[in-house]
Structures are given as structure tokens and as C-alpha cells.
Amino acid sequence: MIRFFLLAGVLALALSTQLSAQSYTTQQETLPCLNKKFTIVAHIFKDSTGTFLISQGSINSAVDGMNQFFKPIGVSFEVCEFRYHDNFQFDIMDVPAKADEIRNLWHDDYRVNIYFITWLPDFCGMAYNGISDPTGNGIIIRKNCASAGTLSHEMGHLFGLAHTFSGNGTELVNGDNCETEGDQICDTPADPYIALAPMEDYVKDCRFIYPGTDANGEYYIPDLGNIMSYYQCGACGFTWGQLKRMADNYLSGGVKLW
């Protein structure tokens, strides 16, 4: 059974492909540079009508956009092969066991395998295992969610990042427990969002309106544009801490991907 890593929300569909870089020049420590181009095998499944519903051009465009987010750590991605699968039964992810079957049937070792399907319940995508597992990593993306933001979100999971709202409000706004709660990265502000909760309870016109407070009675000020959040307020990128965490996770891993 695949150990599922983390899921991306359906709201990732609204992430903008208009990318804006964050500034990393004020940090005290230089980010690691992996100087690494990862190869992607893009698996595309035919639907029940015999249509694939997504083009190579749109996938390549999303990958090019994703590269801008990973550039600060010297990482890029390139689709080395498109594989088309006629078995439409896998175009609908109606049971989790299908992810195991997909991996067993079509996984290409030592590469990043991304499977594009028509339907995934509740979410735009999912990532399982991790970048240090060359024979079992994978990403599943809903075809109508295949944007630079969604791919970057799932790739962030593959490199070991949690959602900014991980822990459902246990991280304190003042950052006192930022190393042990939430996403355990201290330059991502505490985020109280709960997965699948109504987004209108949290944001309106990209203004954070959630009235709740943390255990100290302080109001939350989350990063609405962070790639690893679920908010529909553009895709501003990763923080310095998130980038360093991804680079360190890859460098500390065992067998490397091609």
C-alpha cells in the first residue's frame, strides 16, 4: 500500500499562473543550490469517451511556470516523455487503491511520475512517498487543475513540505512553537485553515476575515499567496524556509532521481 504523503485542495485550481518572485536577499544564510534538472514522465489517461482532454503544450507550460518557483535553489523540471494510456478506468480515481495499481503498472523508476486524470474526489492533486523514493514517488493531477501553481504545490509535497495550515491552528501567531507545530517552518505565518472548510469563512476578495484567534488570543495573519496554502489569492511562491527545507530534504536523501 502506498504511504500517501499529502493532498492538495481543490482550491489550488484557482492559483494564478502569473508568477511573482519573493525576495531572498535579506536572509542571513545562502540557500543551497542543487543545480539539478529533474526529468518528468507525464502519464495521460484517456477518458470514457476516448479523449485525453489535455495537451502536451499545456503541461509543458505548467512545468515552465513551476520552474520559476524552484529557481532559487537551482532546481528545474523537464518532461522527458509523454505516455498515453487507453485504460479509461484509471482516469477516475474513485478508490485510493487505484493509486497503488497505477504505480505498479506504469511507474518509471528514478524519474518524477505525474499522472493526469479527469477526476479526483475533493482535491486537485495528490503526492505520495517522496523525492528520496526513486521507485515509488508519484503525483496525480486532475486535468482541469494542471496549472503552474498546482504542480508546484504537489511538487512541494514531494520534496517534503506540509501545508501552511498543517496542525489546524496549533501553531502560535507569535512563532513560539513554529519549529514543532504547523508546517514546522518558522517563516510561514501560522495558518488556521482546516482542509475542506468553506473558504468564504476565511477570505473575502483576498482579505483574511477569519475571526478566530490562537491559544494566546492573537489574530492570525497567514500568507494568502503561499504555494502551500489553499487560499485563492495568486501564487507568490515559497518562502526562504520552505526552499531550504526542500533542498535539505533532497540533499539528505539516499538514492537520487535522474
Side-chain angles (χ1 to χ4, degrees):
M1 173 67 69
I2 291 175
R3 175 173 57 85
F4 287 99
F5 192 72
L6 285 168
L7 302 178
V10 67
L11 295 166
L13 173 60
L15 285 174
S16 169
T17 57
Q18 298 298 316
L19 311 181
S20 58
Q22 295 189 15
S23 173
Y24 308 102
T25 58
T26 59
Q27 299 299 332
Q28 298 297 313
E29 182 181 351
T30 302
L31 284 167
C33 181
L34 302 188
N35 192 27
K36 171 71 176 178
K37 177 179 284 187
F38 292 90
T39 54
I40 293 171
V41 178
H43 302 263
I44 306 173
F45 290 89
K46 184 180 291 184
D47 71 4
S48 59
T49 68
T51 307
F52 288 105
L53 295 177
I54 191 169
S55 69
Q56 294 185 13
S58 62
I59 293 173
N60 281 329
S61 178
V63 171
D64 288 344
M66 174 172 62
N67 286 339
Q68 302 307 309
F69 291 131
F70 284 83
K71 189 175 181 179
I73 53 173
V75 165
S76 64
F77 304 89
E78 181 180 38
V79 179
C80 65
E81 186 178 354
F82 290 92
R83 296 183 184 174
Y84 290 89
H85 304 293
D86 291 329
N87 193 336
F88 65 87
Q89 293 181 346
F90 290 94
D91 190 54
I92 302 294
M93 188 62 60
D94 51 352
V95 292
K98 281 190 177 179
D100 295 286
E101 294 182 67
I102 283 176
R103 184 192 66 165
N104 292 334
L105 289 170
W106 294 294
H107 180 86
D108 195 349
D109 290 352
Y110 299 99
R111 291 176 171 85
V112 178
N113 290 260
I114 303 181
Y115 304 92
F116 294 90
I117 67 173
T118 296
W119 188 78
L120 186 69
D122 298 323
F123 301 101
C124 261
M126 57 175 285
Y128 49 85
N129 296 348
I131 202 69
S132 61
D133 183 354
T135 62
N137 74 75
I139 291 174
I140 296 175
I141 296 287
R142 232 171 57 197
K143 293 172 186 174
N144 65 346
C145 293
S147 67
T150 301
L151 262 64
S152 299
H153 183 106
E154 296 305 333
M155 198 65 72
H157 285 322
L158 205 69
F159 274 79
L161 294 185
H163 291 125
T164 56
F165 57 84
S166 182
N168 297 328
T170 55
E171 182 180 358
L172 297 173
V173 172
N174 64 15
D176 281 354
N177 61 352
C178 64
E179 294 183 349
T180 58
E181 299 295 333
D183 63 359
Q184 299 180 8
I185 296 176
C186 287
D187 65 354
T188 57
D191 186 344
Y193 181 70
I194 297 175
L196 301 182
M199 189 54 63
E200 59 267 24
D201 292 346
Y202 293 85
V203 294
K204 180 179 181 181
D205 298 327
C206 284
R207 291 183 296 109
F208 192 70
I209 61 171
Y210 179 72
T213 60
D214 70 0
N216 292 333
E218 294 190 55
Y219 291 100
Y220 294 94
I221 312 174
D223 181 357
L224 302 185
N226 191 279
I227 286 291
M228 302 310 294
S229 77
Y230 271 13
Y231 301 112
Q232 304 179 59
C233 297
C236 296
F238 300 106
T239 66
W240 181 90
Q242 288 173 319
L243 287 163
K244 188 172 189 305
R245 175 69 56 83
M246 290 191 288
D248 289 345
N249 285 343
Y250 177 74
L251 292 171
S252 64
V255 179
K256 307 301 183 186
L257 301 189
W258 296 341

